[in-house]
Amino acid sequence: MKSYQKLTTAVQQPAACWVEEEGSAPTPASRGKLAPWWVGSGLLVAAVLLSAVTVWVLRQVSGGWPGPTPPPKCLLVPESHRFDCYPERHVVVTQELCESRGCCFIESPLPAGGKRGVPWCFYPPDFPSYTLESLNQTALGMVGLLVRREKAYYPRDITMLRLDVEFETDTRLHIKITDAANPRYEVPLEVPPVMKRAENPIYSLEFSRNPFGVLLRRRATGTVLLNTTVAPLIFADQFLQISTLLPSRFLYGLGEHRGTLLHSLDWNTLTLWARDISPTESFNLYGAHPFCLLMEEGGDAHGVFLLNSNAMEVALQPAPGLTWRTIGGVLDFYIFLGPDPNMVIQQYQQVIGFPAMPPLWALGFHLCRWGYGSSNETWQTVRAMRNYQIPQDAQWNDIDYMDGYRDFTFDPQKFASLPSLVEDLHKHRQRYVMILDPGISSTNPRGSYWPFDEGLRRGLFLNTTKGQPLIGQVWPGFTAFADFSNPDTHQWWLENLQHFHAHVPFDGLWIDMNEPSNFMDGSEDGCPPGELDSPPYTPAVLGDSLSAKTVCASAKQKASVHYNLHNLYGLMEAKATASALIQIRGKRPFVISRSTFPSQGRYSGHWLGDNRSQWKDMYYSIPGLLSFSLFGIPLVGADICGFSGSTSEELCTRWMQLGAFYPFARNHNTQNEKAQDPTVFSPAARTAMKDVLLTRYSLLPFLYTLFHRAHLQGDTVARPLFFEFPWDVATLGLDRQFLWGRSLLVTPVLEPGVDSVMGYFPRGVWYDFYTGSSVNSSGEMLKMSAPLEHLNLHVREGAILPTQKPGTTSEATQGNPLRLIVALSQSATAWGDLFWDDGESLDTFERGSYSYLVFNVTQNTFTSTVLHASTEATEVTIGTLSIFGVREPPSKVLLNGQEKPFSYLDNQVLTVSNLGLSLSQGFSLRWL
């Protein structure tokens, strides 16, 4: 008899089980032997049996079951382990419907608020699944054959599957399940080729033969990371499902959604299907990221990536357990073993690609709104920012700059001075960014709008099943949609941008509406009947249809049907846009995209969409940006002060303080609302906003270095606290604070009407960023003063932060003297680094056109070591060294052996100024 529940194995033994250690061939002795993960479950089974008996007795006392008593095998499955056999929404699941699928039916109380709870219809322990018929060694791992002898309940079951297992590295395992006989759609994502099998993997892999299941363990701890025997594998043409138990309840990722950073496992379903909708809890949002990070007991971490771009949902339940459910493609899993969370994210990006190095100006402050109304009004805002000497690197325009909302045009009346505005921005070392949408106006007289005429002539738009351009509706009215899966479309996109750049020499591009968004459902003619637009199973997408506010899933694209490519649309447009910018400007591209998919960090950043001017939206931006750090897209931020609705002075001031520490910092506002740029507020608020932006600009060398590390090896920039303190369980749910890198702690105010804030300080010494005063925490919540003009920032012991005298643009800042902030550890040591280049040239690291310095403190001596030098570094000086935590007043300070004047404060801060040292030369400074 088959058995899915580990809990029931003492009662129902599996027919046979092979035990595999990192892919060693099964020996005759191991065939039919009980795997070690079935052993020792007797007590647990006894507890379950006792629970089932208790439930039965209580039912009798309370009047019995509402229907026939469920079979004993169903009563054995505890509620938390009931894996849903009837996940369809908007269906009242009856006992008859459930049992027609061969599943167990037990009614449970419905949770409040219309949420889903314990499934009434769930898999019995003996539900038919696949059998592992054969398993053979390969150079990289194993290949196996899976056979299903009894059909499941979705159309076109695939009865023979191929299992490929590759031990790619010691910390990365690749498991792929696909049709053994026929090719299927697979995501066209370049993944690294693997040339040899891992020699010393930190994981072990075991299989159950009948029913087929995978068990993955961490060797060092024995922790079971995957156990897929808990529910049947289903692999039909348009319904693929696999479930697993989880080693803990601490699960993150699975975007794009609005919610806390730590997901609830209380019967929570997360849907992945790109959708244009203002960020709202429980809705599928703009991007799709089928990657999750799990923390294990003791601080270890692992990640799981399902390389699949079809509509998908991930069902979480309190077992703890997880079910991947997708409606196309293949099951292509990568598992990353860490063992710490930082390493998991690095290993993930080794597969999907490391993020691009942004230009330095991308890390400055950006200002935008929909509804400036004219280029002159836009210009007035820029002038006001300069007048108050408020830092700003880039001015943006939303769709109101266009002529009739058509791409590659600008309004000849209201935006006639746009070319002059851009010229003026460039004179002041500022940049210009404008919006583009993928919907191309299709109603202009023939010959009057080249982008549509030429795209039509070359056949570059999404087509209907009848081979005609699919026409939807977006801002300009009726539109066709560019097919970015076609390489020829990239060339057409480039040519359009070249034509526009000749008139308006923009510096970066903002690509919006690229889910793709459509004001109609499907097209002007709806969608045709068929199983692409109306599949046998539709995941829990907003609108209950794959075509809700987007194009038909049956639309034809060069690479495949839209059914397969929908979640890739933003990625493919970002790739075309970044490539065009490189060819037009010859410098690092700057692209911000709304829709995203794994690997998009290579081409663009992301903003979190059309948020609202509300306090809760400000809070939700933090788990949003931290999730995208996990997804390999570090250049991320939310619309500061909120996009829709009207902000208040207090909200906008607090949001500017938080937003100054978004990796991508842009204040953006909708039309028909009062302005919310810093210049329109009271002198006190304006000054607070200016001051926090100057703080950001002073930290640009540190931030830029963090982005270099992200580009080079996949480090996160904005970082959850648990990444640095994974053994501290108090950090696992924190999402109201975050770190820059490993050492700068940001604690924003997220509530109205307060002048203090509570923040968690992990164990150790933390220094106030502004004063250098220290707090020695045992790992505790601390209350801090937070008047409206103040953002709490703290530096972790042992860090060295490179900072700089701020200017009003990143380019102006770049020439100013550096100030190095040293935060001594309790053992009086510290470390830091600095990456420096010209801020915009392509591939500076790859070409060697950069400087890299390492700073170290030990035994009262600060050392700057130049590991690589370039000409840019000779133009910059180190002016000041501030050392926090010097316990005794020094009697003298020596710079390269020469005595230097210094100051020492009672809060144990030693400052040495007027150093005048070239960045390109190493030095040492000692205090006695």
Side-chain angles (χ1 to χ4, degrees), residues 21-22 170 200-204 216-225 296-298 300-301 337-339:
E21 288 292 329
E22 296 90 52
D170 289 344
N200 298 294
I202 66 172
Y203 48 85
S204 65
L216 178 69
R217 289 182 186 275
R218 183 180 299 281
R219 293 180 69 87
T221 61
T223 302
V224 176
L225 308 183
E296 305 157 31
E297 285 188 24
D300 286 338
L337 275 289

Side-chain angles (χ1 to χ4, degrees), residues 758-836:
M758 296 292 292
Y760 184 77
F761 285 76
R763 178 181 294 275
V765 176
W766 296 85
Y767 297 92
D768 185 292
F769 171 79
Y770 309 100
T771 67
S773 298
S774 65
V775 57
N776 193 342
S777 173
S778 61
E780 56 197 307
M781 294 291 295
L782 297 175
K783 185 177 181 179
M784 294 166 281
S785 175
L788 190 58
E789 69 276 5
H790 185 69
L791 171 71
N792 279 279
L793 296 174
H794 289 84
V795 185
R796 182 182 179 185
E797 64 170 298
I800 300 176
L801 305 189
T803 72
Q804 200 163 21
K805 180 182 177 181
T808 53
T809 66
S810 61
E811 207 170 307
T813 301
Q814 206 172 14
N816 290 339
L818 289 167
R819 174 190 174 214
L820 304 179
I821 297 176
V822 179
L824 292 179
S825 70
Q826 294 172 77
S827 57
T829 61
W831 185 92
D833 62 345
L834 173 65
F835 176 82
W836 195 273

Side-chain angles (χ1 to χ4, degrees), residues 616-693:
K616 74 168 187 175
D617 286 63
M618 178 166 64
Y619 154 67
Y620 276 128
S621 71
I622 300 176
L625 74 93
L626 295 177
S627 292
F628 274 86
S629 292
L630 271 58
F631 301 149
I633 305 178
L635 189 64
V636 60
D639 284 345
I640 297 170
C641 300
F643 173 69
S644 65
S646 187
T647 193
S648 67
E649 181 164 287
E650 182 190 12
L651 173 60
C652 199
T653 303
R654 293 301 195 189
W655 209 329
M656 283 290 293
Q657 290 168 344
L658 167 60
F661 286 84
Y662 294 157
F664 165 58
R666 182 187 69 161
N667 180 316
H668 180 43
N669 191 7
T670 191
Q671 61 179 352
N672 303 322
E673 295 287 353
K674 61 185 181 183
Q676 63 185 35
D677 64 83
T679 70
V680 303
F681 293 102
S682 70
R686 186 172 64 238
T687 299
M689 295 177 187
K690 175 181 175 179
D691 287 348
V692 77
L693 287 176

Side-chain angles (χ1 to χ4, degrees), residues 221 258 407 494-495 576 918:
T221 61
R258 164 179 283 207
D407 278 355
L494 167 65
E495 291 169 22
S918 171

Side-chain angles (χ1 to χ4, degrees), residues 135-317:
L135 194 66
N136 295 298
Q137 294 290 309
T138 66
L140 300 176
M142 292 172 281
V143 61
L145 178 67
L146 309 179
V147 176
R148 174 180 276 281
R149 291 186 168 80
E150 295 182 52
K151 285 191 173 293
Y153 45 84
Y154 284 108
R156 297 183 300 283
D157 256 333
I158 298 172
T159 56
M160 290 179 38
L161 300 176
R162 176 186 169 111
L163 168 72
D164 284 287
V165 178
E166 293 186 348
F167 305 98
E168 294 195 344
T169 73
D170 289 344
T171 56
R172 184 171 86 226
L173 174 66
H174 187 186
I175 300 175
K176 182 175 175 182
I177 302 172
T178 188
D179 189 333
N182 300 295
R184 290 179 61 82
Y185 164 77
E186 297 187 26
V187 182
L189 183 71
E190 294 177 22
V191 294
V194 178
M195 308 311 293
K196 67 171 189 173
R197 179 179 177 141
E199 294 179 357
N200 298 294
I202 66 172
Y203 48 85
S204 65
L205 191 62
E206 304 162 20
F207 294 99
S208 166
R209 187 179 75 83
N210 184 19
F212 167 71
V214 174
L215 185 119
L216 178 69
R217 289 182 186 275
R218 183 180 299 281
R219 293 180 69 87
T221 61
T223 302
V224 176
L225 308 183
L226 293 179
N227 178 356
T228 71
T229 66
V230 290
L233 167 65
I234 296 179
F235 201 122
D237 185 35
Q238 289 181 273
F239 186 90
L240 292 72
Q241 177 177 279
I242 191 168
S243 302
T244 181
L245 291 179
L246 302 173
S248 82
R249 296 180 61 88
F250 298 104
L251 181 143
Y252 313 83
L254 298 174
E256 180 177 3
H257 298 93
R258 164 179 283 207
T260 55
L261 179 64
L262 175 64
H263 286 302
S264 165
L265 303 191
D266 189 18
W267 306 107
N268 181 21
T269 296
L270 302 169
T271 306
L272 281 63
W273 182 249
R275 167 66 193 250
D276 173 6
I277 184 69
S278 295
T280 306
E281 297 90 318
S282 80
F283 289 174
N284 49 297
L285 302 183
Y286 310 106
H289 292 272
F291 167 81
C292 60
L293 172 75
L294 285 108
M295 294 301 298
E296 305 157 31
E297 285 188 24
D300 286 338
H302 71 278
V304 179
F305 172 42
L306 173 53
L307 180 51
N308 181 295
S309 63
N310 289 90
M312 181 188 307
E313 59 191 21
V314 184
L316 308 176
Q317 63 191 76

Side-chain angles (χ1 to χ4, degrees), residues 485-563:
S485 78
N486 185 344
D488 295 340
T489 305
H490 292 217
Q491 178 62 30
W492 164 86
W493 193 245
L494 167 65
E495 291 169 22
N496 279 294
L497 287 168
Q498 285 173 326
H499 296 156
F500 192 74
H501 192 269
H503 301 284
V504 181
F506 54 84
D507 302 285
L509 290 168
W510 170 23
I511 51 176
D512 191 14
M513 307 291 284
N514 55 354
E515 292 75 28
S517 177
N518 184 1
F519 296 165
M520 300 174 160
D521 290 347
S523 77
E524 62 176 344
D525 301 315
C527 297
E531 289 195 327
L532 292 178
D533 293 300
S534 302
Y537 180 81
T538 300
V541 297
L542 178 63
D544 302 317
S545 167
L546 297 183
S547 62
K549 296 297 178 274
T550 188
V551 300
C552 298
S554 58
K556 294 180 177 180
Q557 297 188 235
K558 178 77 171 180
S560 185
V561 288
H562 193 73
Y563 182 91

Side-chain angles (χ1 to χ4, degrees), residues 735-758:
D735 58 9
R736 299 174 73 88
Q737 298 167 273
F738 59 96
L739 294 161
W740 265 12
R742 61 182 306 274
S743 51
L744 184 64
L745 177 62
V746 183
T747 307
V749 171
L750 301 172
E751 299 168 343
V754 299
D755 59 5
S756 64
V757 65
M758 296 292 292

